[in-house]
Amino acid sequence: MKVTIFGTGYVGLVTGTCLADVGHDVLCVDVDQKKVDNLNVGIIPIYEPGLDSIVKQAVQNGLLNFTTDMDRAVSHGDLQFIAVGTPAGEDGSADLQYVVKVAETIGQRMSEYKVVINKSTVPVGTAEKVSEALSKELAARGENIPFDVVSNPEFLKEGAAINDFMKPDRIIIGTSSEKAEKLLRELYAPFNRNHDRMIFMDVRSAELTKYAANAMLATKISFINEIANLAECLGADIEKVRNGIGSDPRIGYHFIYPGCGYGGSCFPKDVMALINIAKGCNYKAELIESVDRVNQQQKHKLFSYVQKHFNNDIAGKTFAIWGLSFKPNTDDMREAPSRVLIEALWKAGAKVQAYDPVAMDETQRIYGLREDFKLVGTKEAALENADALIICTEWKNFRAPDFDFIKQTLKQPTVIDGRNLYDPERMRDHGFNYYAVGRGLSVQRIDTAQVLEVGAATEAAV
Ligand SMILES: NC(=O)c1ccc[n+]([C@@H]2O[C@H](COP(=O)([O-])OP(=O)(O)OC[C@H]3O[C@@H](n4cnc5c(N)ncnc54)[C@H](O)[C@@H]3O)[C@@H](O)[C@H]2O)c1
């Protein structure tokens, strides 16, 4: 099938590549000339495991092309995907200007029936807005060409995007058009061979499904973080609690890892957008608002441990940071907890020495060159002359480091772990001061007076 994808970011590029991989004829279009030029010479703009080789193969097969030419883009695909960004506007609501622009682009140029498929995460009612924008452009041309607008939200996870797209848990399609349904069944047939993963529903329900899914996942994270903070105050160990509750199949072990907060391009903005969607219909989304508040507080957690350990005497100290991206297997730094920590350390007059397996270029792009910031080539180099090690991202090669080396290299044996990677008992045996989220007290065997002090410090920090 002939497919056009507007937007060649994480979602557009992965969607286009995977569709081309199964044999569809895909044209990816972007307004970013540099991105398109790079893609045309095989330079992939994002780090996503496995993407590189599939892009190259699909380009070689002649099934994946990149362009900035809008005329070519609109005439190419019977199916026109919208996969452009929907960033948070000033009030936190989803900014739909890029989505509407694509609708206008299609309306200005289409000469035959098209299915316009919204893959961007968009508020309920956006399909109607897209239809209106398209119809307006057609009317301006004096044309009355039929089209359908379908909602097909994307659920891929950065870092596992190829596998998620190739073997999706579900493919949600919101449409009331039989013709569009038939075309989408055909498009996605190669991804449904094992069993039918397609779920059809009305457009509005499909649009809300995406926000509901992300809000649910964000809720799980904020929930476990809240319990972790409580565990810390009460002298309990959140990892034991996590095991204890995860064993209940109604709760499960997935996505209840305590840590230093969620980030990325989706959860923070989608949670905010949902809060705004609720406001739009005069509903106060109490739970979702709390999820966001808890997360914002949690992102300050690591800095509060630093403050506590160093008695607020932070100026002039150097901190080693392992992990910068908002999660492993991506170079995405959007809303990453590491940024909140680094900026707080700088504000307090500290220096930062950081290592990340793939996100250092992106970090450099964001912060530029600074005297108080050094990006180093290995995790070991980050430790040199540092006063403490702080872990922000749970990259695999941080899981079993050489603890003796860490201890010898750091100025003080202090590890602040935002991802609970290590066994507190072992860390104590190694002679470390080890701070982990929701289990610090079991590590240090702090007496009641200290428990109260830690509780107060946590409270003050949040
Ligand atoms: N990144 C994820 O993990 C993820 C997962 C599921 C859903 N989503 C949603 O998918 C959408 C896209 O996200 P992303 O992370 O791929 O965004 P992105 O910012 O990485 O990419 C968007 C691309 O769209 C391009 N663009 C903007 N206007 C355009 C236009 N008029 N025509 C053609 N291209 C245009 C931009 O230049 C950019 O390359 C968002 O709504 C996001 O919420 C993202």
Side-chain angles (χ1 to χ4, degrees):
M1 297 175 90
K2 286 185 157 249
V3 181
T4 296
I5 317 254
F6 286 88
T8 315
Y10 276 91
V11 169
L13 185 57
V14 169
T15 302
T17 304
C18 293
L19 290 175
D21 192 52
V22 297
H24 295 304
D25 178 0
V26 179
L27 181 60
C28 287
V29 56
D30 205 290
V31 287
D32 185 336
Q33 183 71 54
K34 194 167 166 233
K35 204 179 249 189
V36 169
D37 289 346
N38 279 340
L39 281 160
N40 275 324
V41 294
I43 301 170
I44 313 293
I46 49 171
Y47 174 81
E48 183 59 47
L51 181 61
D52 200 306
S53 59
I54 314 182
V55 169
K56 283 183 184 141
Q57 188 62 57
V59 168
Q60 232 172 49
N61 294 345
L63 290 174
L64 182 61
N65 288 283
F66 303 98
T67 188
T68 52
D69 180 342
M70 297 294 162
D71 291 338
R72 188 180 156 206
V74 176
S75 77
H76 177 82
D78 305 313
L79 303 169
Q80 306 259 315
F81 276 90
I82 305 180
V84 296
T86 47
E90 266 175 30
D91 61 354
S93 61
D95 181 350
L96 292 178
Q97 61 168 307
Y98 307 105
V99 170
V100 171
K101 180 83 194 139
V102 174
E104 289 168 354
T105 301
I106 298 170
Q108 285 155 4
R109 293 166 173 82
M110 63 186 267
S111 55
E112 60 195 336
Y113 172 79
K114 304 273 179 197
V115 185
V116 178
I117 305 150
N118 231 333
K119 209 165 227 332
S120 300
T121 302
V122 289
V124 177
T126 301
E128 287 150 44
K129 282 202 177 106
V130 167
S131 281
E132 277 163 30
L134 245 149
S135 298
K136 208 168 141 201
E137 294 301 332
L138 285 172
R141 290 167 52 204
E143 296 281 5
N144 186 18
I145 305 163
F147 64 87
D148 282 305
V149 179
V150 170
S151 168
N152 171 213
E154 181 51 56
F155 296 94
L156 64 77
K157 300 184 284 295
E158 286 177 20
I162 301 292
N163 192 56
D164 286 348
F165 197 95
M166 293 294 195
K167 292 181 192 153
D169 298 325
R170 74 295 213 192
I171 300 169
I172 303 279
I173 306 286
T175 184
S176 52
S177 156
E178 275 178 28
K179 190 170 176 184
E181 176 175 336
K182 205 166 152 249
L183 286 167
L184 282 151
R185 275 200 189 280
E186 192 183 336
L187 179 82
Y188 283 122
F191 305 94
N192 285 289
R193 287 178 57 79
N194 178 265
H195 64 274
D196 188 8
R197 294 161 158 114
M198 300 194 74
I199 304 174
F200 287 88
M201 57 181 78
D202 62 280
V203 177
R204 288 184 157 246
S205 300
E207 288 171 335
L208 185 55
T209 298
K210 174 65 191 175
Y211 283 108
N214 276 359
M216 177 75 204
L217 294 170
T219 302
K220 288 183 100 171
I221 297 174
S222 280
F223 173 81
I224 201 71
N225 282 337
E226 185 143 282
I227 302 294
N229 294 340
L230 266 173
E232 218 161 87
C233 299
L234 298 168
D237 180 351
I238 189 62
E239 292 301 331
K240 298 197 172 108
V241 177
R242 186 175 70 78
N243 260 318
I245 62 171
S247 55
D248 181 335
R250 293 171 303 175
I251 298 173
Y253 293 106
H254 291 297
F255 239 72
I256 51 167
Y257 293 101
C260 48
Y262 61 75
S265 67
C266 291
F267 289 178
K269 107 175 148 52
D270 292 349
V271 164
M272 283 312 293
L274 189 53
I275 291 167
N276 271 283
I277 290 169
K279 275 187 193 149
C281 46
N282 290 324
Y283 180 81
K284 190 163 163 46
E286 302 276 6
L287 176 65
I288 316 293
E289 286 183 15
S290 303
V291 166
D292 176 57
R293 270 199 305 276
V294 169
N295 190 57
Q296 292 197 30
Q297 291 164 4
Q298 202 68 13
K299 284 182 165 181
H300 292 282
K301 189 91 194 166
L302 296 179
F303 186 67
S304 76
Y305 291 138
V306 174
Q307 280 177 307
K308 177 175 163 31
H309 183 79
F310 292 96
N311 283 323
N312 275 319
D313 180 16
I314 299 166
K317 296 208 159 43
T318 298
F319 292 90
I321 294 187
W322 283 4
L324 295 162
S325 55
F326 83 93
K327 67 172 182 179
N329 294 324
T330 178
D331 60 353
D332 201 332
M333 289 291 295
R334 289 178 278 187
E335 307 273 345
S338 65
R339 294 174 69 165
V340 175
L341 170 72
I342 290 172
E343 287 163 27
L345 288 171
W346 283 337
K347 209 165 160 206
K351 289 186 181 152
V352 170
Q353 228 161 246
Y355 167 76
D356 186 284
V358 301
M360 293 203 288
D361 286 350
E362 182 58 9
T363 313
Q364 191 81 77
R365 191 190 65 75
I366 293 165
Y367 291 122
L369 294 172
R370 307 177 45 123
E371 288 215 331
D372 49 7
F373 191 36
K374 211 157 102 187
L375 288 161
V376 293
T378 62
K379 65 182 193 299
E380 289 75 20
L383 305 169
E384 279 163 30
N385 288 318
D387 291 273
L389 164 65
I390 312 174
I391 298 170
C392 291
T393 318
E394 66 276 32
W395 283 94
K396 237 186 212 150
N397 74 337
F398 300 161
R399 286 190 198 168
D402 180 342
F403 290 109
D404 290 334
F405 181 83
I406 296 176
K407 203 172 153 209
Q408 281 157 19
T409 315
L410 287 174
K411 280 203 231 161
Q412 308 181 27
T414 299
V415 174
I416 297 171
D417 180 357
R419 301 294 175 183
N420 292 5
L421 294 184
Y422 310 130
D423 175 11
E425 298 286 330
R426 243 189 107 201
M427 293 302 277
R428 197 187 48 184
D429 293 348
H430 271 290
F432 282 105
N433 305 307
Y434 178 62
Y435 293 80
V437 180
R439 54 190 332 203
L441 304 180
S442 64
V443 185
Q444 295 165 20
R445 306 244 185 268
I446 290 175
D447 62 25
T448 316
Q450 281 171 305
V451 170
L452 292 173
E453 192 194 321
V454 175
T458 308
E459 215 173 284
V462 299

